[in-house]
Structures are given as C-alpha cells and as structure tokens.
Amino acid sequence: MRNYILRKMISKDTRDNFIIKAMFYVVFRDKINLRFLKSNFEQFIKENDFKTSLDYCDYIISKFPKNKFGYTQKSNLYLSINNKEAAKKIIDESPIDINNNHIENKKQSVVKKNSKKSIIKISDAEIKKMISNCKYNEIIDLLQSKLDELSLEQVLILAKSFQQIGKHTEAYKTLIDAQVKFPNERKILMRLGEILQNDKKIPQAHIYFKAAKIFYPEYGTVKKLSFEVDNELWSNALETLNEILLFSTLSHLKFLPVLNRVSPFFPDKRDTIISIRNNVQSILWKKKGKKGTNPNNQVKIAIKCRWLALAESIILRNVNGSQPVSDSIIHWLNTVKEYQKGYELFFSLANHNDDNKKLKGFLNGHEIELNHDEKLKCVEVFIPGVFFTNPAEEKPSYHTVRNFFVNIYSYLLTLENIIVVPRNQWNWRKCDPIINNAYVISYHTRSMDMDNKKHLHIQESTLAERCSMDYMGYAGYSSLADDFTYKIIDNYSKHINNIEQQISFYIKNNISKYKQSDEEFHLESDYVFIPMQVTTDAVASLSYIDGIKLLKLVSEYFFNTSTKVVVKRHPYCNSIEVEKLINELEKEGKIIVSDSSVHHLIKTSKAVITVNSGVGLETVIHNKPVIITGKSDYYYAATAIAKNGQELRDIISDLESLNINEVFRKKFLAYYFLEYATPYYSVDKIHSNLLKFLNG
C-alpha cells in the first residue's frame, strides 16, 4: 500500500492531487527520510518501471538536493537504456561533486530488439519517437508481451500499432484484454466502439458509446452524438444533441467543432447553435487558458471553427506567456491562411453566414446583405474542410480539391447579376440551401432528389488531379451510373485519339488515387484480380453483391483450378471481418494476397472483379475485362455486370468469352477525360461547366 501511494505521489499525472498528498502525509509523516526512500527505490527497480523510477529519482533530488543518491541513480537509469549522454549530463549538472567513473565502467544493459525482458526499460519518449518513425512492428515487439504491466497510454499505442499494420483483430483483442484492468476508461470504450463501427456492427458499437457517456457524461455524450449522426440514428441523435445544448459555455467551447459537424442535420437548432458559437467566440477573445482549454487547444478550436483572426490573436497574446502556442500549430494556421490568400473576404463572409441570422453575399463584385426571397439568381457555395486541414493529416487529393474550388470561386465572383453566397461546409453528407430556390455547389455530396438540377456536386476523380462536376453525385451515385448515359456519350468516339497520351500517362507513371508500390507482380499461372473496398464506404451500399460475398464466391469457384485469385486489401479498410476472411482464405490456399501496384496487378490479370471500386475504371484504361457487382460511374464500359451469385458464377465460368466492347470503351474514355473528369488546372473547362450548370 505504501509503495502504491508513493508511486501515485511522485507521478507527474497525480502530483497535484490533494487526496493522494493527504494519504501520503498520513502514511509517511514520520518516515520521510532518505533511508526510507532508498529502501523503496529497490522495489521500483525490481518492477522494471523506467518512467516511475525516473520520477522517483526526481522526487528524491527535490527532497535531498545535496545528496548524490538521487543523481547517481537517475544517471544509472539512463545508462540502462544506453543513453550515456543524458547520464553524463545529470552528473555534470548536479550541484554537488560526484565521481562519474560509473558512467564509463558500469556494464550497460542493452535493449535488444525483440527482447521481451527489456520492455519497461523503454521510456515513453522513446516509444513516441518510434511512432514518429512508423516503427510499429518494433513497438508491438516491445509491448505485447507485457500487457498486464502497461499503462493506459501504452495499451492504446499498442492497439494503434496493430491497426497501422493492418492487424485489426489483434488491436481489438488488446483493447478487450485491457478492459479488465481499465473497465471504465473512456478511451478504451470509444476505441472499441469505433472498431465495431468499422464492421457495421452498429447496435454493439452503440452500447460502448452509451457506456462512455455514463462514465464520462460530457465527452462521452459528444462522441455518442457523432456516432449516432454518422449512422443515421436520428431520434437518438436529437435527444443527445438536446442534452449537449444544455452544457456550460466552457464545455461548448471544447466541443464546438463536433456541434458544427452535426449542425446541418438539425436546421431547427440553427438559432441555438448560432448563439453558442457567438458565446464561444466572446470567451476565446478574452479567456486565458485553463485545463482543457490551454492556448494550444484554443487555437486548434479556432482553426477548426474557421476563425483565423481569433486563432492569430490567441497566439500573439501567449507569445511571452508560460504556455506559448506550439510551432506545429502555428504552422497549421499559416498553412490555412496561405490556402485562402486572395479570397479572405470570401471565407470571412462564410463565417458571417454561420454566426448570424442575416446572410451576406457578393453581387457584381460588391458585398451585400440578403433577404431570404431574392429576385436575382443566387448560388450558395459551400467551402469544404480541405481548406482547414492540418498539414499532418493532408491527403494527396486535397490539393486538387482546393485548387478546383478556388477556380470556382474566382469565376463566380466575375459573373454579373448573380448573387454568390459563401457558406461553410461542415458535413460532406448534407449541404442544403437557406435561400429559397438557390443553386448549390458543394464537395463530396450526392443528391437525395434525382430531379434536382440545381445542386452541383464536386468530387475528386479516381484519376489524379481531376474532379467531377455532377448534379447527381459521385461514383455509383453519379449521372454516369444511369441509363441515359448512352445518349450523352454516343458522340465521343471520334475524340479517342485526343486522349491516348493522357491515358498512357497514368499507366506509365504508376499513378493512382492512392500511392502505389513500385514492386512488380509476377505469377506463373493465370489469375483474376479482386481489389477490395472499404465496407463502410457510402458507395458500398450500391452493391448487388457485396465485397465479402464476392470474395467468398470467387475464391471458392477458382479453388483447385489453374486460375488463381489475387487480392489487394484497400489501404483504408479497418474491418475485422474482412481481415479474418482474407487471412482464412490465404491460409487455405484459396487466394494470394498482394500489396503490389494496382496497375501491375491489372496488367497481367485475366480479368478484374470488383463491386464498384475506382480500380475498375483503371481496368478500363488498361483495356482489360472488368466485372462489376454494383452501380458505378464506369458501368457503361464494364465488360459484364452481375446482380446475383448465379450471374457471377456464369460470367466467371467462361472468362475466355469475355469481350471488351471497344466502341463503348473508346466513347466512355473520351467522354470521361474530355468532359466529365476535369483537371483542376483546366480553368476554361471549369468555367464552361459552371455556366452550363447555372443556365440549366
């Protein structure tokens, strides 16, 4: 008991806890001497707890600064992890003279790779360094054998490391086992909920988020709301939102980015949320940092809420304070400001329209205040979150989207007698106009009303540096996924020669939506290629045969035949069910798993079989057969479409008879490259498409 209290007392995490201090005083009031501390130090060493031992040395030094014991033991601890420089520095900088011969003569305990006994001798700082260098396998080797001894943060790091290398089952097991030790810990509860959500186990996941709410009423409630909105549990979400709206202003400050994200789904709450935004802003303009709202967090909140002037003000007022804002967050703000250069007023009006009942816009180059019943044509243009992304979270396609939208903004502002109303896009699933009969332009959205031709949906293409502009949506939700596509595309075959160079560019340079390996793929026998998809992706719901059923059926059909089945997992797939199935089928010899480039895998395959992956479009570019089992934007050029298991078996039973309709292929590719998927740098084409949209 004494050692437990002592550990708690010296722990940096509990140093300010008055209860622990009070317990310490009661237990040790007559025993606080160096002899006692020395005797307890041996126990810490036996337990092999590097961090706590280090804290213990600091505590001894603070109590007995003129005794060498604390300094030499701290020096020895650093020697145990081969940090001779730190060990020497402690001795050199101590206020008393200490012989440092032990540094040169002491036999150093080397932390060996994969040595299970050395685990606790690795400091948290070293683990963080390993994370920054993406050494996830090494982290796993260090931590997994000592699960019972790990701190909460180390457990979470271990689980995350498993996820980073695609071992989601192991991540799940790690968290489940840790729950015995940390039964009420919100971080574990929420991570488990997220893992279950990735497998579409919504009722089970919901239970974890409900539990998180019980143990952590505020933060747990906010996470529960996000989950309910993401999974369209609308009655639950409304009830949860009403609870959050009653939180204190300080709580609203911390959780406002989440409120913003869900706000489009609750237009009846707009006035209340506007009031909350204004209250939070007023606090941030004058509030000094407290726990949970320190300057770093304040600036993060301000950037996420798109208040850049406010973020800058917080940075300036803390420059010479005890908590200056970190360089990484300042870099984030400066990067976001750079994205907006030349369009600051455009972005500023979007903020105004969020925080006020009266809307503002642009007319003939001038700022105006609007009524909700304007006589002139109005366009509400939503600004996507890619303009505010932390550089550390940047994806390759974001650059394309930002430049595409800047070209949209620049053109709209030149049009006469059209009111342009900037809006902040808080959610990619819902961008409804406030103004009656307004036109709408938004990112990564799709229409719920197929007859609505007043909404233009922008989405990055499967092909790098291009975006589609479609009144229905993207991928399988797009206008290309409908039958009338034939009428649109029919006249484009004559242009095929104009795009041969563009087509070959993607293949020759190994360019795809996601970064691809340069490693070639070689297989002696014939094979079909199945590119897997993210099971929770919105387009997954457009399947006739889903990805898991597809893999099972195809692998079973070709088992013990001369045709192999090669599978590549999607880089963002976190599904345990998919992982288990792939591992099981690979172990049984029914599939071959590859991480080679999709271009290499397409090139030497007999056919590509997918639900509606963008890899199917790349297959059309390669002029290889593609079989799809869901709605897609390239269905016009697909070699075959299977809507049930029997149809799929019939198709794959005779791959040799699959004939690519070369006329259809050429028409489709010409239309896709020249008309549909526009490069962000093709300014004239973007302007032309916008004019067509606005003119109906």
Side-chain angles (χ1 to χ4, degrees):
M1 181 64 180
R2 288 174 178 169
N3 286 338
Y4 169 79
I5 297 170
L6 187 58
R7 280 194 294 272
K8 287 291 185 183
M9 177 61 193
I10 65 170
S11 166
K12 292 176 181 178
D13 297 329
T14 57
R15 192 167 284 170
D16 295 326
N17 189 321
F18 78 94
I19 297 174
I20 296 295
K21 285 189 173 181
M23 290 173 67
F24 181 86
Y25 177 75
V26 171
V27 178
F28 299 120
R29 61 188 174 191
D30 299 320
K31 301 183 179 182
I32 189 72
N33 55 51
L34 185 58
R35 184 177 175 184
F36 171 79
L37 294 173
K38 284 182 177 180
S39 66
N40 274 278
F41 185 79
E42 188 179 351
Q43 182 63 32
F44 282 100
I45 296 298
K46 282 180 181 177
E47 293 179 6
N48 216 18
D49 188 333
F50 179 92
K51 185 178 181 298
T52 306
S53 298
L54 204 63
D55 288 343
Y56 193 76
C57 288
D58 288 336
Y59 182 78
I60 293 172
I61 291 169
S62 69
K63 293 294 181 183
F64 301 93
K66 295 184 178 180
N67 190 284
K68 68 177 184 180
F69 180 81
Y71 303 102
T72 55
Q73 293 303 323
K74 188 175 180 179
S75 176
N76 288 338
L77 280 170
Y78 278 108
L79 285 175
S80 73
I81 59 169
N82 280 335
N83 194 340
K84 188 181 285 188
E85 186 178 342
K88 188 174 184 303
K89 188 178 179 183
I90 289 161
I91 300 300
D92 291 342
E93 294 181 358
S94 66
I96 56 176
D97 291 330
I98 305 172
N99 189 321
N100 66 0
N101 289 339
H102 72 291
I103 295 174
E104 299 298 329
N105 301 328
K106 185 176 175 69
K107 187 178 179 181
Q108 299 174 19
S109 59
V110 179
V111 179
K112 297 177 182 178
K113 188 178 179 181
N114 298 327
S115 171
K116 296 184 177 180
K117 291 184 179 179
S118 64
I119 175 172
I120 306 298
K121 292 182 180 179
I122 302 296
S123 68
D124 287 349
E126 287 180 291
I127 292 175
K128 286 178 181 178
K129 187 177 179 180
M130 291 165 72
I131 293 171
S132 65
N133 293 325
C134 300
K135 295 182 177 181
Y136 300 112
N137 283 305
E138 291 186 29
I139 293 170
I140 291 166
D141 287 341
L142 285 169
L143 298 179
Q144 66 178 336
S145 66
K146 297 279 187 176
L147 188 60
D148 292 341
E149 300 176 24
L150 301 185
S151 67
L152 171 65
E153 289 306 315
Q154 289 171 331
V155 167
L156 296 172
I157 287 170
L158 176 59
K160 189 69 176 178
S161 298
F162 276 126
Q163 288 180 303
Q164 289 292 337
I165 63 170
K167 293 186 176 182
H168 302 281
T169 305
E170 290 299 324
Y172 181 72
K173 287 179 180 176
T174 298
L175 294 169
I176 287 291
D177 290 343
Q179 224 186 344
V180 177
K181 186 176 178 181
F182 308 103
N184 304 331
E185 177 50 55
R186 64 173 170 85
K187 291 182 179 179
I188 289 180
L189 292 170
M190 291 173 187
R191 288 275 286 275
L192 285 168
E194 289 164 0
I195 289 173
L196 290 166
Q197 184 180 359
N198 288 333
D199 266 314
K200 298 189 290 186
K201 295 178 179 178
I202 306 307
Q204 298 95 316
H206 202 192
I207 291 169
Y208 277 100
F209 287 103
K210 288 177 179 177
K213 177 190 169 183
I214 292 169
F215 294 118
Y216 299 88
E218 284 197 351
Y219 188 68
T221 304
V222 171
K223 291 293 288 185
K224 179 172 173 280
L225 173 64
S226 284
F227 171 83
E228 289 165 348
V229 168
D230 289 345
N231 293 283
E232 301 182 358
L233 305 174
W234 299 121
S235 59
N236 297 103
L238 180 58
E239 184 181 336
T240 307
L241 175 62
N242 285 331
E243 291 178 43
I244 293 171
L245 295 178
L246 297 174
F247 284 0
S248 68
T249 303
L250 189 60
S251 296
H252 286 153
L253 185 159
K254 291 186 284 188
F255 304 127
L256 186 56
V258 177
L259 277 180
N260 286 334
R261 194 172 76 81
V262 305
S263 61
F265 298 98
F266 305 97
D268 293 347
K269 304 293 180 181
R270 183 170 185 265
D271 289 350
T272 306
I273 293 173
I274 286 175
S275 177
I276 288 171
R277 282 199 190 108
N278 291 333
N279 290 340
V280 167
Q281 279 197 76
S282 65
I283 285 179
L284 284 176
W285 276 112
K286 59 187 178 184
K287 191 97 174 164
K288 291 184 178 180
K290 290 185 175 181
K291 188 178 180 182
T293 59
N294 60 60
N296 274 337
N297 288 337
Q298 287 182 351
V299 176
K300 285 180 185 178
I301 291 163
I303 297 173
K304 288 179 179 180
C305 293
R306 310 186 179 186
W307 302 326
L308 303 193
L310 177 53
E312 200 158 34
S313 173
I314 297 167
I315 291 169
L316 289 172
R317 77 186 180 208
N318 288 283
V319 166
N320 297 316
S322 59
Q323 288 184 297
V325 176
S326 70
D327 290 342
S328 62
I329 294 177
I330 293 172
H331 174 63
W332 178 6
L333 176 62
N334 290 335
T335 303
V336 170
K337 286 168 68 178
E338 190 64 29
Y339 294 153
Q340 300 184 11
K341 194 169 271 186
Y343 297 90
E344 289 86 353
L345 184 56
F346 194 93
F347 284 78
S348 175
L349 285 200
N351 287 342
H352 170 89
N353 293 336
D354 265 339
D355 301 332
N356 297 272
K357 295 179 184 180
K358 277 281 187 181
L359 300 180
K360 288 185 177 182
F362 296 97
L363 177 61
N364 301 329
H366 301 287
E367 181 184 323
I368 64 166
E369 195 169 87
L370 286 82
N371 301 311
H372 280 225
D373 190 24
E374 299 294 332
K375 304 300 180 191
L376 292 173
K377 185 178 289 183
C378 293
V379 187
E380 294 189 35
V381 190
F382 286 83
I383 300 172
V386 296
F387 283 95
F388 302 89
T389 304
N390 188 329
E393 299 169 2
E394 177 82 357
K395 293 181 180 178
S397 61
Y398 288 178
H399 173 266
T400 297
V401 176
R402 281 193 296 269
N403 282 285
F404 204 94
F405 269 87
V406 163
N407 286 329
I408 289 174
Y409 305 151
S410 64
Y411 181 67
L412 290 176
L413 293 174
T414 66
L415 298 177
E416 295 184 354
N417 299 322
I418 289 180
I419 300 171
V420 180
V421 184
R423 298 273 311 278
N424 278 319
Q425 182 170 344
W426 296 114
N427 200 295
W428 61 269
R429 289 185 297 154
K430 195 158 180 75
C431 294
D432 294 332
I434 296 176
I435 301 164
N436 293 330
N437 215 31
Y439 286 75
V440 177
I441 300 174
S442 59
Y443 167 63
H444 203 311
T445 46
R446 59 185 174 90
S447 181
M448 298 299 167
D449 178 7
M450 298 308 168
D451 295 324
N452 180 15
K453 303 256 177 108
K454 286 189 170 185
H455 198 142
L456 190 63
H457 307 275
I458 314 297
Q459 173 73 4
E460 61 265 58
S461 164
T462 297
L463 304 177
E465 299 187 337
R466 293 171 178 263
C467 286
S468 60
M469 306 172 74
D470 197 304
Y471 77 90
M472 287 176 67
Y474 59 92
Y477 295 108
S478 71
S479 59
L480 286 183
D482 267 354
D483 289 339
F484 75 87
T485 305
Y486 287 87
K487 300 174 186 175
I488 300 173
I489 292 178
D490 267 354
N491 298 320
Y492 277 83
S493 57
K494 58 187 178 184
H495 300 291
I496 189 66
N497 292 330
N498 299 338
I499 63 163
E500 289 293 351
Q501 190 173 352
Q502 296 181 56
I503 291 173
S504 63
F505 170 79
Y506 290 94
I507 299 173
K508 286 180 181 177
N509 294 286
N510 193 28
I511 293 173
S512 188
K513 188 172 184 177
Y514 305 105
K515 185 173 174 61
Q516 299 295 315
S517 166
D518 291 324
E519 189 178 328
E520 295 277 354
F521 180 79
H522 300 286
L523 192 65
E524 296 297 324
S525 55
D526 289 336
Y527 69 90
V528 294
F529 170 40
I530 300 180
M532 298 297 289
Q533 296 172 241
V534 179
T535 56
T536 54
D537 200 326
V539 295
S541 63
L542 299 173
S543 62
Y544 308 122
I545 306 170
D546 68 39
I548 288 175
K549 289 178 183 175
L550 169 66
L551 180 56
K552 286 179 179 177
L553 195 154
V554 174
S555 62
E556 190 63 41
Y557 183 86
F558 286 112
F559 186 47
N560 287 330
T561 71
S562 60
T563 300
K564 305 301 178 185
V565 178
V566 177
V567 176
K568 181 172 182 176
R569 191 169 183 184
H570 194 286
Y572 293 146
C573 177
N574 297 324
S575 167
I576 289 176
E577 189 178 0
V578 170
E579 181 190 348
K580 282 182 176 177
L581 177 62
I582 288 175
N583 290 343
E584 186 180 297
L585 294 175
E586 186 180 30
K587 192 174 180 180
E588 293 172 355
K590 293 180 178 179
I591 64 171
I592 297 167
V593 179
S594 174
D595 198 34
S596 184
S597 165
V598 292
H599 290 294
H600 298 157
L601 293 167
I602 294 168
K603 185 179 176 181
T604 52
S605 68
K606 289 181 73 174
V608 174
I609 310 171
T610 181
V611 178
N612 51 10
S613 168
V615 178
L617 174 62
E618 293 169 311
T619 306
V620 176
I621 290 174
H622 276 266
N623 201 15
K624 300 287 286 190
V626 56
I627 304 161
I628 60 174
T629 65
K631 291 187 71 176
S632 75
D633 53 350
Y634 53 88
Y635 94 98
Y636 179 95
T639 315
I641 302 169
K643 294 188 176 182
N644 57 57
Q646 189 55 55
E647 286 184 7
L648 181 59
R649 277 187 286 268
D650 290 344
I651 293 167
I652 63 178
S653 67
D654 191 12
L655 290 176
E656 305 301 329
S657 67
L658 287 176
N659 293 315
I660 297 170
N661 190 320
E662 194 58 26
V663 175
F664 278 17
R665 176 181 173 271
K666 287 180 177 180
K667 285 181 183 180
F668 172 79
L669 289 177
Y671 177 77
Y672 196 91
F673 275 85
L674 297 175
E675 188 68 33
Y676 190 76
T678 306
Y680 74 83
Y681 46 81
S682 295
V683 177
D684 290 344
K685 185 63 183 175
I686 293 171
H687 294 176
S688 170
N689 287 343
L690 284 170
L691 201 58
K692 287 178 185 177
F693 164 65
L694 293 171
N695 290 334

